[in-house]
Amino acid sequence: MAVPFTYHSKAQSTFKPPLLANENAYLGDIVSSEKDNAEKPMSAGFYRLEKGTPLEYTYTYDEMKIILEGQFEISDETGQKVTALPGDVFYFPKGAKITFTTETYGLAFYTGQREKM
């Protein structure tokens, strides 16, 4: 039985993620495999942070991000701190406590394997 792929044309420029936290942190899934694989669903979408309140986030699942536009300052509780620029790729393991901030804005594409809610 043939299985089709899913396509989202120009998603980077047309998808507007909803507000996640504070006044400036936006995140939204473009696609999730929850219907196809309820045991280990994967989700992918966009994260946008605008200048303002830093976002402090503790990961309850593994996630990867690639920076697409702008810049982020990303730090963790070990003291590691990086200025993230377009093309940079990050892996955030389950349990990581991460702080995201920006002087302007940043846009990233993420994929993660969240536990079923």
Side-chain angles (χ1 to χ4, degrees):
M1 178 177 176
V3 179
F5 62 82
T6 302
Y7 172 64
H8 298 275
S9 177
K10 298 179 177 62
Q12 179 177 339
S13 61
T14 61
F15 179 75
K16 304 299 180 205
L19 187 64
L20 168 70
N22 306 324
E23 77 289 356
N24 62 331
Y26 302 83
L27 182 133
D29 291 350
I30 296 280
V31 66
S32 177
S33 67
E34 188 170 358
K35 290 180 183 177
D36 299 322
N37 185 350
E39 290 290 318
K40 294 184 178 180
M42 290 180 59
S43 298
F46 293 101
Y47 168 61
R48 181 179 177 93
L49 185 67
E50 297 175 354
K51 185 175 181 175
T53 306
L55 178 68
E56 296 178 359
Y57 191 78
T58 301
Y59 281 88
T60 59
Y61 53 92
D62 294 331
E63 184 180 273
M64 295 182 193
K65 277 186 172 58
I66 181 168
I67 310 308
L68 301 175
E69 297 176 5
Q71 62 87 24
F72 296 92
E73 293 292 330
I74 300 176
S75 59
D76 65 21
E77 64 183 347
T78 71
Q80 184 173 215
K81 185 175 183 178
V82 173
T83 299
L85 299 170
D88 293 348
V89 176
F90 291 83
Y91 167 60
F92 302 111
K94 181 177 180 178
K97 295 179 182 178
I98 306 297
T99 300
F100 298 90
T101 190
T102 183
E103 288 298 315
T104 56
Y105 85 100
L107 179 69
F109 176 81
Y110 66 85
T111 186
Q113 190 170 38
R114 298 186 196 120
E115 296 178 16
K116 188 173 180 178
M117 302 291 206

